[in-house]
Amino acid sequence: MGTLTLSASAHLWEQFLVGALDGEQTVVPEVPPILSRWQRSRALGAPCTGLPHEGPSVGGAALVERRARLEPVWHEVRDILDVLAAAPLPSGRVALLADREGVILATRSSGGSFGGHADDVRLVAGACWDEVSRGTNAIGTALVESSAVAVVGPAHYAQRHHGLVCYAAPVRDAFGELVGVLDVTGPASGADPLVLVAVASIAHSAEARLREVAWARVASAVRGGLEARLAREDGPVLLIEAPGRVRRLNGAARTVVGLSRGSPEELSWGRVLGLSWAALKDAALRGHSLEARHPSTGARWRVQVEAVGEGDVALAVLVRLEPWLTRAVAKRLPVAEDVGPEGGAWAALKGSDAQHRALLKEAARFAPTMLPVLLLSETGTGKELLARAVHAASSVSSGPFVAVHCGALSSTLLESELFGHAPGAFTGARAGGAEGKLAAADGGTLFLDELAEMPAALQVLLLRVLEDGGYSRVGESHVRHSRFRLIGATCRDLDAAVRAGTFRGDLYYRLQGVMLRLPPLRERDDLAVLAQDLLSQLALEGGHPASTLSTAALARLKNHTWPGNVRELKTVLRLALVRAGGARVVDVAALPPELGLGPVATPRREDAAGASGLRALEAQAVREALERSGGNMARAARRLGVARSTLYRMVERLGLMLPPRA
């Protein structure tokens, strides 16, 4: 939050009043900052004399109602007002809270002779101190300029207030909306610039507390999903909260914004890629994408945004950065008949395998249509990346992309997550209800991962939505409508599930618009190129030196069956980078000892042994990173390319013991 101090002499104010400064901006190179504020006050019709009872006054039930609307802010600042009011001055000072219209809701006085003067100039509950009523003053000017402001003596537009010094700072709620002003006013003879610093700091602390309270109200499942998303995404992903503060970001995003170490709170999103919080929030709520350019590198990004919050307000925005392929770059790319789509979201689906490229060409062919897409592929092959690429090339690419993992939630939670719920629909329901993912996906794409895990009752409800777009939130009968492009994905055999009665045949046939199958890694012939490409990417994200794989290491990789596919390959390569310790060539010794030594066998699509192997690899990678970092969690997290909080959760989930710190 910026600060502004406005001061002036009585002589300057008199010159302005008689019109002697009306041409000043064209004559004097350095115009006093106060001049434009006085001109604004004059244009608003504010009185320059300042009578005791000028301006509107609010009382009775209307004042009570205004106080109730600002109760969350009052709860956070009421105890500190007495501290702000206290001053080592015989005359004292007054601290107060005003709402976003400049109406004073409550005051605290330190006593002394200034208390009576404060009543005379209407520094009392119910009085309005916006710029229309009183011209330039700290409360009204802080509201107009959204900045912490000090107005000293004759800088006040109204002559009656020239004996005052006022310090005010705006207070924003958890959604970035300006809701009130914190102010301290005293005699001009006691002006102290440190008071402005204190007021601004307390307003900032109140905002931080309001955000934490709002985050606490967000369902734990949603918070957990955000953390999982940040950890899982390969591309740059950030969580931005009001008024543009970076709350979380993954390893790839740290590389993009140049934050090699330290806390994300040090970053201002507006300075990173030049997009304001208002622009991000508006795009998220409208389902639009944005374009941004990095200020130092000049790199262009397509910014995909999703709102996180309550109802139609955004508590935060999940930001996903996708490289923007310009026409000039596209002309330099090799073009061949057997090469699939390039650039944008397609670029994340790396590989030169013929099956893989043919699949991408087929996906690109149907992407512009509104046909539903069904991805039948093994776990870890990149189904969500393919879904995002189809969305980006579709006719609804300007709309939101909303992903739901059907296997990660219980039946009750999944229904509420998809359809939303009415206020008080069940124990733990949000007081204001929730819109749900169907509403969020309206005009865009809904991606249902692990579709086969959806309970039978929800399959019936989903079928109805696909037929006519109609649905009802949990706990209400009102029919709502949502139109979206559906992409479903599963690693299970849906034909067998239909025969077994665990998946509805009518829903299965309704989904059979376009059926795509990403080949498993063991069937691809581009493992060597893919592994080297991923190794370079992971080295960059994790802050490791650039490395290559030795011939022997590649041979071991080729001999493995890869039940976890590309996801498992990434885990192995992350471990190898840590174990290689910065070596230019990653050799066999850096790979897991058992990798590629067992009998070559074709695993089942949903192989529990594969999941167990992934867990073992993950545990080994964490142990290696902790050992090489001497038990320092921050350094170990940087080696792994994850956030420190994510590493703590990994240690807990894997049941590991932290080594003693060196």
Side-chain angles (χ1 to χ4, degrees):
M1 181 189 299
T3 60
L4 173 69
T5 299
L6 298 174
S7 59
S9 66
H11 176 66
L12 186 68
W13 180 81
E14 289 169 358
Q15 284 186 300
F16 171 78
L17 210 60
V18 298
L21 302 180
D22 288 349
E24 193 76 5
Q25 294 193 40
T26 59
V27 178
V28 181
E30 295 185 9
V31 180
I34 190 60
L35 187 57
S36 61
R37 278 80 182 181
W38 284 344
Q39 289 169 338
R40 183 172 64 214
S41 299
R42 182 167 61 189
L44 291 171
C48 61
T49 53
L51 300 175
H53 302 292
E54 80 273 18
S57 183
V58 177
L63 183 59
V64 172
E65 183 180 344
R66 286 174 180 266
R67 286 171 173 165
R69 286 201 297 264
L70 219 59
E71 173 58 31
V73 178
W74 175 244
H75 178 76
E76 299 303 328
V77 303
R78 60 187 176 189
D79 292 336
I80 206 70
L81 283 184
D82 289 323
V83 178
L84 283 175
L89 296 172
S91 55
R93 46 168 81 126
V94 169
L96 59 89
L97 177 68
D99 65 14
R100 62 185 177 187
E101 294 174 354
V103 175
I104 298 175
L105 303 181
T107 65
R108 291 289 187 271
S109 173
S110 62
S113 60
F114 184 74
H117 185 59
D119 291 342
D120 289 341
V121 296
R122 301 294 293 160
L123 282 167
V124 295
C128 182
W129 278 71
D130 63 2
E131 285 196 341
V132 175
S133 304
R134 299 174 187 271
T136 306
N137 72 90
I139 298 172
T141 305
L143 285 170
V144 171
E145 305 199 11
S146 295
S147 174
V149 177
V151 180
V152 184
H156 287 87
Y157 183 72
Q159 185 180 25
R160 182 176 178 79
H161 305 146
H162 284 188
L164 304 177
V165 57
C166 310
Y167 313 90
V171 179
R172 298 172 182 85
D173 64 12
F175 309 105
E177 300 295 331
L178 200 157
V179 292
V181 174
L182 195 61
D183 174 89
V184 172
T185 297
S189 59
D192 183 351
L194 292 180
V195 178
L196 179 61
V197 176
V199 173
S201 298
I202 292 168
H204 180 78
S205 298
E207 291 175 347
R209 178 58 185 159
L210 290 172
R211 286 194 300 271
E212 293 305 320
V213 171
W215 275 107
R217 291 199 303 267
V218 175
S220 59
V222 175
R223 296 198 302 272
L226 289 172
E227 293 290 349
R229 176 78 170 276
L230 286 165
R232 185 177 72 244
E233 287 278 0
D234 294 320
V237 182
L238 308 93
L239 187 65
I240 314 296
E241 64 181 10
R245 187 178 295 100
V246 180
R247 185 180 178 93
R248 297 281 190 278
L249 72 169
N250 65 0
R254 283 179 176 270
T255 302
V256 169
V257 303
L259 184 68
S260 59
R261 60 185 64 187
S263 169
E265 282 78 6
E266 299 170 10
L267 292 173
S268 168
W269 170 252
R271 291 198 299 270
V272 172
L273 289 178
L275 292 174
S276 68
W277 164 251
L280 284 176
K281 182 176 67 171
D282 182 67
L285 294 175
R286 293 175 180 270
H288 295 166
S289 60
L290 300 169
E291 178 187 351
R293 187 183 296 272
H294 197 284
S296 58
T297 66
R300 292 176 66 195
W301 300 88
R302 185 185 297 278
V303 183
Q304 305 288 0
V305 289
E306 298 174 27
V308 179
E310 301 172 312
D312 59 352
V313 290
L315 174 61
V317 171
L318 193 67
V319 174
R320 201 170 168 276
L321 301 179
E322 298 174 354
W324 187 292
L325 190 68
T326 63
R327 292 184 179 181
V329 174
K331 289 179 180 178
R332 296 198 298 268
L333 293 175
V335 179
E337 286 299 319
D338 60 343
V339 176
E342 300 287 350
W346 299 106
L349 293 150
K350 303 178 187 298
S352 58
D353 174 72
Q355 286 187 76
H356 181 74
R357 304 306 294 172
L359 175 280
L360 296 189
K361 287 185 69 175
E362 184 76 354
R365 186 176 160 202
F366 286 100
T369 74
M370 284 299 287
L371 289 170
V373 178
L374 190 55
L375 308 180
L376 302 175
S377 303
E378 292 182 10
T379 182
T381 51
K383 294 188 287 293
E384 183 168 347
L385 291 178
L386 179 56
R388 287 187 177 276
V390 170
H391 168 72
S394 72
S395 60
V396 293
S397 60
S398 61
F401 178 90
V402 179
V404 180
H405 194 297
C406 299
L409 301 170
S410 67
S411 174
T412 303
L413 283 177
L414 180 58
E415 182 179 5
S416 174
E417 183 79 358
L418 273 175
F419 296 90
H421 63 78
F426 50 84
T427 303
R430 295 182 191 172
E435 291 302 304
K437 299 300 186 184
L438 293 183
D442 190 22
T445 298
L446 178 66
F447 174 56
L448 297 180
D449 199 6
E450 299 304 337
L451 184 70
E453 308 303 320
M454 181 177 288
L458 285 186
Q459 293 177 30
V460 176
L461 296 175
L462 178 61
L463 184 62
R464 179 195 170 189
V465 180
L466 296 179
E467 292 293 340
D468 61 9
Y471 70 98
S472 297
R473 297 195 304 180
V474 177
E476 75 176 11
S477 57
H478 172 67
V479 177
R480 300 164 180 260
H481 289 84
S482 178
R483 294 291 183 182
F484 51 84
R485 198 302 178 57
L486 179 69
I487 302 179
T490 182
C491 58
R492 294 191 179 277
D493 185 340
L494 278 186
D495 286 310
V498 170
R499 291 194 299 271
T502 58
F503 197 83
R504 293 182 62 91
D506 47 3
L507 178 57
Y508 180 38
Y509 304 134
R510 181 69 177 77
L511 294 172
Q512 287 182 343
V514 184
M515 298 181 69
L516 302 172
R517 178 179 176 268
L518 278 162
L521 195 53
R522 64 182 176 278
E523 295 179 6
R524 293 172 58 165
D525 59 14
D526 61 347
L527 176 63
V529 177
L530 179 62
Q532 185 56 59
D533 195 5
L534 290 174
L535 186 74
S536 300
Q537 175 187 323
L538 295 171
L540 180 63
E541 292 175 4
H544 303 284
S547 304
T548 58
L549 290 159
S550 70
T551 304
L554 282 172
R556 286 281 290 276
L557 293 178
K558 290 179 180 179
N559 195 46
H560 189 57
T561 56
W562 300 109
N565 292 290
V566 178
R567 185 182 297 127
E568 182 185 3
L569 175 60
K570 286 185 176 180
T571 302
V572 168
L573 294 177
R574 283 194 183 98
L575 169 65
L577 284 169
V578 175
R579 298 188 69 182
R584 295 295 179 182
V585 177
V586 176
D587 207 350
V588 173
L591 299 177
E594 70 281 4
L595 189 82
L597 296 181
V600 177
T602 302
R604 299 187 302 275
R605 287 198 173 183
E606 187 74 356
D607 197 337
S612 175
L614 274 174
R615 183 183 177 90
L617 287 173
E618 188 178 15
Q620 188 172 356
V622 172
R623 282 194 293 266
E624 290 274 357
L626 287 169
E627 289 172 6
R628 289 183 176 274
S629 303
N632 186 299
M633 294 293 283
R635 286 205 296 267
R638 285 196 294 273
R639 282 179 171 273
L640 292 169
V642 300
R644 185 167 55 178
S645 58
T646 301
L647 180 57
Y648 275 110
R649 286 193 298 276
M650 291 169 70
V651 168
E652 183 178 356
R653 174 167 52 81
L654 297 169
L656 302 179
M657 294 290 292
L658 290 174
R661 181 164 176 170

